[in-house]
Amino acid sequence: MYPKLIEFTEHIGLHSYGLMLALGFFIGIYLATKRAIQENIDSNQLTQLVFYIFIFSIIGYRLLHVVAEDLPKYLKDPLAIFYFWNGGFAYYGGFLFAIPTVLIFCKKNKWNF
């Protein structure tokens, strides 16, 4: 797989990893929406859940990369944590943050996990 599919500028481009991640996320939203209709789940609540999963997944992606991959670099330059264009996402960090997010949301809204 090519790391960059399209490069617009030095810092902006379409990365294959990001594209596959986004496709997986949107396919998941599509399947969850279909299931929510079958289960008579409120679409506003599903939208809230998707939003929370998105936010906490991004935090988890980046945080796990920072801690597990290159902590000394980020301790020397803490602002580098926000340099997303330099890469540095660990997909399993997003997954690890998404699971408790869903569990908490389900418990709060009395949904069966």
Side-chain angles (χ1 to χ4, degrees):
M1 181 166 22
Y2 293 105
K4 279 190 180 178
L5 299 173
I6 301 170
E7 191 167 354
F8 301 112
T9 69
E10 182 181 347
H11 298 297
I12 300 173
L14 180 61
H15 296 260
S16 55
Y17 176 79
L19 177 64
M20 293 300 128
L21 199 58
L23 280 173
F25 192 77
F26 287 119
I27 289 170
I29 291 170
Y30 172 75
L31 294 173
T33 303
K34 285 184 71 167
R35 183 68 184 255
I37 291 169
Q38 292 173 348
E39 301 289 331
N40 293 322
I41 293 174
D42 182 20
S43 63
N44 289 331
Q45 286 183 324
L46 183 63
T47 303
Q48 285 179 342
L49 177 59
V50 167
F51 174 76
Y52 293 139
I53 290 171
F54 180 75
I55 295 300
F56 285 103
S57 291
I58 290 175
I59 292 168
Y61 289 141
R62 191 61 176 174
L63 185 63
L64 194 61
H65 170 77
V66 167
V67 171
E69 299 292 329
D70 210 355
L71 186 59
K73 171 188 165 187
Y74 293 107
L75 289 176
K76 288 179 188 173
D77 185 13
L79 285 179
I81 293 170
F82 301 104
Y83 297 166
F84 295 111
W85 55 88
N86 289 338
F89 293 102
Y91 78 90
Y92 43 91
F95 182 74
L96 291 174
F97 270 55
I99 294 298
T101 301
V102 172
L103 287 170
I104 291 167
F105 189 88
C106 286
K107 185 171 183 158
K108 180 183 171 201
N109 290 291
K110 297 180 176 129
W111 287 7
N112 185 356
F113 180 74

